[in-house]
């Protein structure tokens, strides 16, 4: 009997040692929450009566399903590509009926095409999820999450989540500069308007913090004057529209300063500024270095620079999306989105301040804020 126990005990010891040496099971990917406009909307507007939609071909032509999803892209958008880096499936649109049960643990995308920092931005689109409503839905989401996962796990998931917010571009192209002598342009000189929207943005980010967000990527605005829609309206020789880029040049530095102030108040690097202007301008200024042959004309559209009107089944559509920087009159191709996210992941402090996303992920493995 004793002799039979010896090999059994040896086997048990070996199993214990092997278990101790085995790598720990990888933790579930962190949750991901997305707020903002059409650059990051992945389908919420599909559920709304609005003209700001991307739910018909040729949108989605290069998506894995080759079908339109509501993303303003030929394929994946910025949140999708960030999710790849997180090792996670994309967060579902908040309005999707599939967002329930275990899917809540992945996070949620609250973004809605057409919205801005201000409530009167994008009024022509009528039924969109304005940023105040996106934040209200975030609170509603957390109630659903607590009911599913319990108070403790829900709080841990939200505080450990990555958050992306993209706002500001529409406050210029779909508000201040929407029409000549717009209400806001009559109310404010441009420098005053920029100060106003940055102060309103601060309230939005402070509310995100109150709702539990502790790692928030805040994107600046890209070179709005260089998108095909603006070239079609304001450029005779292919030069970027100077007035729109002047607005961006005023907005982005003030946004960075505001984010730094929020971090000082929080006593931690909660908010990270993403210099999307620089990330976009790199390939616009040197297209061949990035494999692009066209950075002025949209792949899908009509009119000068394919920048007039919507991208529809009747539009011109380029054969090779890999060599175009713009998919439609305003939005990057998937390939351009990948270049932008690469800078989010690995860029220097010229692109991501105070740290890039790879650094955040490495730091937070030791314990998120």
């Amino acid at each position: 009997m004793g002799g039979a126990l010896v090999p059994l005990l040896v086997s048990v010891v070996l199993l214990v040692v092997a278990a101790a040496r085995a790598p720990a099971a990888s933790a579930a990917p962190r949750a991901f929450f997305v707020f903002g406009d059409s650059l990051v909307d992945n389908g919420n507007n599909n559920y709304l009566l609005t003209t700001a939609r991307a739910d018909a071909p040729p949108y989605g032509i290069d998506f894995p399903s080759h079908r339109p999803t509501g993303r303003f892209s030929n394929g994946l958008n910025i949140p999708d590509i960030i999710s790849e880096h997180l090792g996670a499936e994309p967060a579902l649109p908040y309005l999707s009926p599939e967002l329930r049960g275990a899917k809540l643990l992945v996070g949620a995308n609250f973004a809605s095409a057409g919205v801005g920092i201000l409530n009167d931005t994008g009024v022509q689109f009528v039924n969109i999820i304005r940023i105040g409503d996106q934040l209200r839905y975030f609170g509603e989401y957390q109630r659903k999450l607590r009911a599913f996962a319990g108070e403790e796990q829900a709080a841990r998931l939200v505080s450990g989540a990555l958050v992306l917010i993209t706002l500001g571009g529409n406050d210029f192209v779909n508000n201040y500069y929407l029409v000549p002598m717009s209400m806001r342009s009559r109310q404010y000189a441009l420098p005053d308007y920029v100060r106003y929207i940055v102060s309103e943005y601060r309230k939005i980010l402070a509310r995100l913090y109150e709702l539990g967000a502790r790692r928030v990527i805040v994107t600046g605005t890209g070179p709005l004057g260089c998108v095909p829609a603006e070239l079609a309206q304001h450029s005779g020789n292919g030069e970027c529209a100077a007035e729109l880029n002047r607005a961006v040049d005023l907005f982005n530095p003030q946004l960075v300063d505001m984010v730094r102030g929020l971090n000082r108040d929080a006593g931690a690097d909660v908010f990270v500024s993403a210099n999307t202007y620089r990330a976009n301008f790199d390939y616009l200024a040197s297209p061949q270095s990035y494999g692009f042959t066209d950075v002025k004309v949209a792949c899908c559209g009509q009119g000068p620079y394919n920048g007039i009107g919507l991208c529809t089944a009747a539009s011109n559509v380029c054969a090779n999306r890999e060599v175009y920087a713009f998919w439609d009159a305003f939005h990057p191709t998937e390939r351009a989105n990948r270049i932008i996210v690469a800078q989010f992941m690995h860029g220097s402090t010229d692109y991501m301040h105070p740290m890039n996303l790879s650094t955040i992920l490495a730091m937070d493995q030791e314990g998120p804020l």
Side-chain angles (χ1 to χ4, degrees):
M1 185 76 172
L5 280 173
V6 171
L8 178 61
L9 287 170
V10 170
S11 298
V12 170
V13 169
L14 289 173
L15 284 169
V16 170
V17 171
R21 290 179 176 174
S26 59
R30 73 196 296 169
F32 186 30
F33 300 111
V34 182
F35 301 85
D37 57 28
S38 59
L39 290 168
V40 293
D41 181 358
N42 70 344
N44 279 308
N45 281 20
N46 292 358
Y47 303 94
L48 303 172
L49 290 172
T50 178
T51 55
R53 295 166 72 118
D55 60 343
Y59 285 98
I61 190 172
D62 299 310
F63 197 74
S65 65
H66 303 291
R67 301 182 63 172
T69 62
R71 292 162 172 84
F72 286 75
S73 173
N74 60 302
L76 302 185
N77 65 7
I78 285 171
D80 295 323
I81 299 163
I82 291 175
S83 291
E84 287 182 349
H85 286 283
L86 295 177
E89 62 186 274
L92 287 169
Y94 182 70
L95 297 184
S96 169
E98 297 176 24
L99 186 63
R100 61 183 187 275
K103 291 288 187 184
L104 293 167
L105 303 176
V106 178
N109 186 317
F110 302 90
S112 178
V115 307
I117 296 164
L118 304 181
N119 279 335
D120 56 290
T121 291
V123 290
Q124 70 273 30
F125 302 124
V126 186
N127 193 15
I128 51 180
I129 312 171
R130 305 194 184 283
I131 190 61
D133 291 325
Q134 292 183 32
L135 295 174
R136 181 172 59 80
Y137 282 155
F138 187 33
E140 189 177 272
Y141 159 88
Q142 291 189 47
R143 289 192 291 276
K144 294 177 183 177
L145 181 65
R146 286 193 292 270
F148 174 74
E151 294 276 347
E152 186 176 332
Q153 185 182 353
R156 191 164 58 245
L157 183 144
V158 170
S159 66
L162 182 69
V163 178
L164 173 69
I165 184 166
T166 295
L167 290 171
N170 282 325
D171 294 286
F172 296 110
V173 299
N174 282 310
N175 193 329
Y176 195 84
Y177 292 109
L178 178 62
V179 292
M181 297 299 291
S182 68
M183 182 193 77
R184 289 297 189 183
S185 68
R186 283 182 280 116
Q187 184 180 13
Y188 293 104
L190 180 62
D192 296 329
Y193 180 70
V194 169
R195 280 190 290 272
Y196 172 57
I197 61 174
V198 169
S199 68
E200 291 299 300
Y201 204 171
R202 190 185 195 284
K203 297 172 187 175
I204 292 163
L205 296 179
R207 179 63 182 145
L208 259 183
Y209 184 84
E210 290 173 0
L211 287 165
R214 292 297 180 268
R215 281 294 191 205
V216 184
I217 297 173
V218 183
T219 69
T221 297
L224 296 175
C226 303
V227 303
E230 299 306 326
L231 295 183
Q233 294 179 62
H234 303 297
S235 178
N237 57 3
E239 294 296 314
C240 298
E243 179 65 10
L244 268 164
N245 279 355
R246 184 170 81 91
V248 173
D249 288 343
L250 288 170
F251 176 77
N252 284 335
Q254 292 185 46
L255 179 64
V256 171
D257 286 345
M258 180 266 283
V259 165
R260 286 175 174 158
L262 284 170
N263 284 339
R264 281 195 300 272
D265 292 347
D269 292 325
V270 173
F271 300 96
V272 175
S273 299
N275 187 345
T276 45
Y277 184 97
R278 174 77 180 270
N280 280 270
F281 199 76
D282 283 350
Y283 62 74
L284 295 179
S286 183
Q288 291 182 335
S289 301
Y290 293 86
F292 290 123
T293 60
D294 207 313
V295 295
K296 296 181 185 294
V297 177
C299 171
C300 180
Q302 47 279 313
Y305 305 99
N306 277 344
I308 302 295
L310 303 173
C311 169
T312 71
S315 298
N316 307 311
V317 181
C318 66
N320 183 5
R321 274 75 66 185
E322 292 293 300
V323 296
Y324 279 73
F326 289 100
W327 161 244
D328 65 13
F330 284 103
H331 304 98
T333 55
E334 176 181 329
R335 182 138 188 285
N337 282 330
R338 289 192 177 277
I339 292 168
I340 293 164
V341 174
Q343 294 293 6
F344 287 7
M345 291 299 302
H346 307 295
S348 68
T349 51
D350 289 337
Y351 296 88
M352 299 289 287
H353 190 276
M355 68 194 98
N356 62 35
L357 187 47
S358 292
T359 301
I360 290 170
L361 297 179
M363 286 174 56
D364 288 353
Q365 281 185 338
E366 301 171 10
L369 289 179

